[in-house]
Amino acid sequence: MKQHRASTKETVLVLGDELEQRVAMAARRLGVEPAEFIVRCLERRCAQVLDTKNHPGNTGELNGQTHGEATYRGWAIRPSETRVVRIIEELTHMPIEQILGRPKARAPVEARSMLAYLLTNDAGLSPVDAGRILHRRSATVNRLSASVEQIIGTDDARSELVAHARRLFRNGITSGKRYPPPPRRPSTSGELLVGLRVRRRMSNLTQPQLAARAGIARETLSRLERLKRRAQPETVKALARALNVAPDRLTDSR
């Protein structure tokens, strides 16, 4: 029998022996701690109920009726950075020490680029936070991630590995739905344009060409791309117009 005790500081969840064993077994299969498994299950259930409330046509679950998984259009649960690292280790057959090392051999570099891509896209980390895990600068994280973004959907072996990793992320607790956008941190000193370099390269523009189109100095553009400087709203709009993209695409690493 499941019991709980709640206070303003903590919540204690006590599971019956049988349920506790089942949770432990499921958590081991997914490679997470039991507590994390329970939290993710609760998050998923809350997302389903909230999504049903937000879409009046989906009232069956609230009325006690059973509906298929396709009924829900809520967010999927993001994998933790620990899970992303563990899965990349398994799929590439390389320990994290080798992936994060300094050798320029092709295999570790490709593994590192996939890790950067999944940390920023699937785990929802900022390039700065992903850089702390990869022991690289945020600009390097953006470059590594962009190299993978360009081959997604092609016959490149990395594309299949990324797809395989994503199938593992959804193993048992997520449903394959889209992820929520990472939370935005308000800043009074401007925006970090984590997607600027990727968008410029996708437009086949050099830094001098884009700087001229946007009416800013080339050195300013370089500092913005390397995340050494924040952009004011008018600069973001000018760059977005020059690249023919929405302004929020420049603040999104995907």
Side-chain angles (χ1 to χ4, degrees):
M1 180 177 179
K2 182 168 61 177
Q3 303 174 351
H4 73 277
R5 181 175 71 252
S7 69
T8 56
K9 293 184 178 180
E10 64 176 5
T11 297
V12 178
L13 185 66
V14 181
L15 305 178
D17 292 340
E18 181 181 356
L19 182 56
E20 183 176 3
Q21 291 174 5
R22 293 177 63 185
V23 166
M25 290 175 60
R28 281 198 299 270
R29 286 199 300 271
L30 296 172
V32 299
E33 293 296 323
E36 181 179 350
F37 175 82
I38 293 172
V39 169
R40 291 190 178 196
C41 288
L42 291 172
E43 287 177 342
R44 179 185 179 188
R45 178 59 181 157
C46 289
Q48 289 177 342
V49 172
L50 290 172
D51 186 66
T52 303
K53 289 181 177 179
N54 292 332
H55 297 85
N58 295 347
T59 57
E61 184 64 28
L62 292 179
N63 291 334
Q65 301 174 13
T66 302
H67 283 257
E69 191 67 42
T71 300
Y72 302 104
R73 291 174 287 173
W75 300 117
I77 299 174
R78 289 183 179 275
S80 67
E81 55 265 34
T82 303
R83 183 157 173 75
V84 173
V85 170
R86 185 178 299 141
I87 285 178
I88 288 297
E89 284 183 308
E90 293 175 358
L91 294 181
T92 60
H93 307 290
M94 279 185 279
I96 189 62
E97 293 80 9
Q98 184 178 356
I99 295 174
L100 298 185
R102 293 295 173 180
K104 296 184 179 181
R106 180 176 177 178
V109 171
E110 289 186 344
R112 196 179 310 139
S113 65
M114 288 186 290
L115 184 55
Y117 177 81
L118 292 171
L119 285 172
T120 52
N121 284 269
D122 291 61
L125 299 186
S126 69
V128 173
D129 290 336
R132 293 191 182 103
I133 295 174
L134 295 171
H135 300 169
R136 289 335 190 253
R137 295 183 303 170
S138 55
T140 302
V141 173
N142 283 332
R143 177 175 56 78
L144 291 170
S145 180
S147 70
V148 175
E149 184 176 16
Q150 294 170 358
I151 57 89
I152 294 298
T154 69
D155 57 0
D156 190 292
R158 287 175 295 169
S159 179
E160 175 53 34
L161 282 176
V162 168
H164 189 175
R166 284 173 165 165
R167 288 194 294 271
L168 294 175
F169 293 160
R170 296 167 184 140
N171 179 5
I173 47 179
T174 60
S175 57
K177 299 166 186 167
R178 56 186 179 144
Y179 295 118
R184 293 192 178 280
R185 297 181 176 88
S187 172
T188 57
S189 58
E191 293 270 10
L192 286 177
L193 303 186
V194 296
L196 177 58
R197 185 194 297 268
V198 173
R199 301 300 155 194
R200 175 177 64 79
R201 289 179 173 176
M202 290 175 66
S203 298
N204 294 318
L205 294 174
T206 63
Q207 282 189 345
Q209 289 171 332
L210 177 56
R213 285 191 183 188
I216 63 175
R218 187 256 180 203
E219 178 58 28
T220 298
L221 178 60
S222 175
R223 290 180 63 82
L224 290 172
E225 284 194 353
R226 290 183 287 123
L227 306 182
K228 297 294 185 181
R229 176 173 176 172
R230 292 180 179 269
Q232 297 303 314
E234 57 272 17
T235 304
V236 177
K237 292 178 182 178
L239 288 167
R241 285 195 299 269
L243 292 168
N244 195 28
V245 298
D248 62 358
R249 302 303 291 171
L250 302 182
T251 57
D252 190 335
S253 60
R254 288 168 287 179

